Amino acid sequence: MSHAPFFIVGCGRSGTTLLRTMLHRHSQVAIPVESLFIIDYFRAMNHAPVERFRRLILREHEFSEWHLSLTEQDLAHCNSVRELIDEVHQRFAARKGATRWGQKTPRFIRYGELLKSVYPEARFIHILRDPRAVVNSLIRSNVHRSNAYYAARRWLQDTRAGLALEERYPEDVMRLPYEMLVSEPEPALRRVCEFLDLPSEPQMLEYYKEKEEAYSGYHEAIHARLQEPPRKERIDAWRGHLSAEEVALVEQVCMPLMAELGYAPEARVPVPANMIQQMKWERRTRGLFRQVTQYFRGRTHHLFYIIWRKFR
């Protein structure tokens, strides 16, 4: 591999998958689907012998989605957790003929310092999106099944983490507004490629013309719009879905940060006195049940292995 890895991060439902799909079409780049196990491995790397990590990583469910088959012999030369993570990504990249690997797991935004400690030269692309649009998408997502209150708090937490990472490593973190990626994809991708020291390639703009195998099955319903070109109307789609009270709630939770980032408040009604309490108990409970049900339908083995791996 010719460079340190890069990470596409941000609050969930901010456009990280869209950018990942575009960049994955680049001839020199390979980015697997979300890989939550990586953070667990790095957090525990000083607390167990590398042999244990070698055994555990062979059974990670994500590799079936990467269409990557590994044996103990493939990893026998790896003497650290970083070498294990590098090896599996390099093998994934080699299948595509790529020389650069990246990662797209939005919640890695919360672990920027950890990733920097392992990969000091790593770069991050921090995607930002209007919190009202993020909340609308999280509410409607089959996997997240959140509500306006919890979704707004997630946007606030993850955005603050991303801005802190930008402040700490200004040369290694690029901020990319979702709105620019959708409305001006060509100049947005040129900026990204320049930041990553890559030549720009036109096929990145044609990502939707060829269905990618990685986003079939469980992932297909979650990212259904990957078979469509970028649409500007998606920027303001939240206006047709969120109630006036939900908009007011999101703006109450996310101010003043959203205004500092250029997202002007528009609420015209007050937040009902009992709305937050209702969302904390009733709606969150129902949403969590639907979320767990969705996981059991599509990723039962994955769910149980995560629990077992954390114990190990």
Side-chain angles (χ1 to χ4, degrees):
M1 299 292 109
S2 57
H3 293 77
F6 63 88
F7 298 89
I8 301 171
V9 294
C11 183
R13 312 304 292 183
S14 291
T16 55
T17 301
L18 174 61
L19 179 60
R20 176 263 170 206
T21 307
M22 290 172 163
L23 284 177
H24 189 67
R25 292 295 304 273
H26 196 288
S27 63
Q28 298 180 28
V29 172
I31 310 171
V33 295
E34 293 189 17
S35 311
L36 295 173
F37 69 91
I38 292 173
I39 294 300
D40 281 347
Y41 279 67
F42 285 153
R43 292 176 74 180
M45 62 185 175
N46 296 322
H47 303 289
V50 69
E51 291 79 10
R52 182 175 299 175
F53 291 101
R54 284 201 206 104
R55 294 193 299 269
L56 288 171
I57 203 169
L58 289 171
R59 297 178 60 183
E60 291 297 338
H61 182 268
E62 279 91 341
F63 294 144
S64 64
E65 298 171 342
W66 295 19
H67 303 284
L68 184 65
S69 179
L70 295 167
T71 67
E72 290 187 34
Q73 187 60 35
D74 294 331
L75 306 177
H77 65 285
C78 297
N79 295 312
S80 69
V81 172
R82 171 175 169 165
E83 289 181 13
L84 284 171
I85 299 301
D86 284 346
E87 181 67 22
V88 296
H89 282 88
Q90 288 168 10
R91 286 178 176 268
F92 174 81
R95 292 178 62 249
K96 184 176 178 281
T99 58
R100 186 86 176 270
W101 67 265
Q103 257 294 329
K104 190 285 298 185
T105 304
R107 71 182 64 181
F108 283 7
I109 193 70
R110 305 168 194 173
Y111 304 100
E113 289 291 346
L114 174 62
L115 292 168
K116 265 294 190 181
S117 70
V118 179
Y119 297 107
E121 297 181 4
R123 293 187 177 181
F124 297 81
I125 304 165
H126 176 204
I127 299 191
L128 279 173
R129 188 180 185 184
D130 189 318
R132 293 157 296 196
V134 170
V135 168
N136 177 56
S137 188
L138 285 169
I139 290 173
R140 296 162 60 81
S141 165
N142 286 332
V143 172
H144 300 89
R145 292 295 187 182
S146 191
N147 60 48
Y149 175 68
Y150 282 94
R153 286 186 57 184
R154 177 173 177 176
W155 180 90
L156 190 64
Q157 173 194 7
D158 290 348
T159 302
R160 282 174 172 167
L163 296 178
L165 194 65
E166 290 180 30
E167 185 176 0
R168 181 75 183 275
Y169 304 102
E171 299 298 320
D172 294 330
V173 183
M174 172 187 173
R175 184 189 304 180
L176 178 65
Y178 167 84
E179 294 78 11
M180 180 183 182
L181 183 63
V182 172
S183 61
E184 303 175 80
E186 187 173 1
L189 287 172
R190 281 202 304 268
R191 281 187 56 203
V192 171
C193 287
E194 182 179 352
F195 174 69
L196 297 176
D197 298 320
L198 289 167
S200 185
E201 294 184 350
Q203 69 267 23
M204 293 187 294
L205 293 169
E206 300 178 345
Y207 67 94
Y208 58 90
K209 294 184 178 181
E210 183 179 338
K211 185 174 181 179
E212 189 180 342
E213 192 175 6
Y215 286 106
S216 59
Y218 173 80
H219 293 281
E220 190 167 13
I222 305 170
H223 305 295
R225 296 187 182 276
L226 290 178
Q227 301 308 304
E228 303 174 6
R231 299 186 186 279
K232 292 182 182 180
E233 56 266 29
R234 297 299 308 159
I235 294 174
D236 293 322
W238 59 270
R239 298 180 189 277
H241 298 290
L242 295 181
S243 68
E245 292 77 13
E246 287 174 324
V247 171
L249 176 60
V250 173
E251 294 180 0
Q252 177 177 295
V253 172
C254 297
M255 289 292 288
L257 186 57
M258 63 175 285
E260 292 175 10
L261 294 171
Y263 299 113
E266 298 182 8
R268 293 177 173 83
V269 300
V271 178
N274 65 338
M275 189 173 184
I276 292 178
Q277 283 301 115
Q278 183 181 4
M279 288 188 172
K280 280 184 177 180
W281 299 105
E282 296 179 17
R283 299 185 187 181
R284 181 58 176 169
T285 302
R286 290 199 296 267
L288 184 61
F289 174 77
R290 291 195 298 267
Q291 183 179 355
V292 172
T293 301
Q294 180 76 11
Y295 239 90
F296 269 105
R297 287 176 179 170
R299 275 184 149 189
T300 307
H301 172 75
H302 184 209
L303 181 62
F304 282 109
Y305 189 72
I306 288 175
I307 297 170
W308 185 80
R309 181 229 299 144
K310 287 178 181 290
F311 171 75
R312 292 295 296 161

